Amino acid sequence: MAMASKHCPKCGGNPQDFRQVNQEEEDHLATDMTRAEAQGHWRCPTSGCRWVQPFWYQSKGRLLPPSFG
């Protein structure tokens, strides 16, 4: 699985090794955007963090619902 060092606005501190969203996360995101947009999202790996964001656009990020905790 691909990883990318990104800053998480919810976790703060040092950059985290974000991973690409998995299929379940992508399916949820695709209910609010196109499938192509959902596929371009990355998730913070910190335990309990639900932050996802497009690769280049942190400002367009969002929290997944608590069920993804």
Side-chain angles (χ1 to χ4, degrees):
M1 181 174 282
M3 304 287 275
S5 185
K6 299 280 181 190
H7 174 74
C8 177
K10 298 299 177 188
C11 294
N14 294 327
Q16 305 292 327
D17 287 329
F18 276 54
R19 63 166 175 77
Q20 290 178 300
V21 294
N22 63 31
Q23 190 64 53
E24 182 181 10
E25 295 159 346
E26 179 185 313
D27 290 344
H28 173 76
L29 291 169
T31 64
D32 292 333
M33 61 185 69
T34 68
R35 177 66 59 175
E37 290 172 316
Q39 290 171 341
H41 277 69
W42 293 68
R43 182 172 178 178
C44 178
T46 303
S47 179
C49 185
R50 298 176 283 122
W51 183 256
V52 293
Q53 68 185 53
F55 191 84
W56 296 110
Y57 300 102
Q58 182 186 64
S59 64
K60 294 185 179 183
R62 62 183 72 196
L63 286 173
L64 291 169
S67 60
F68 287 90

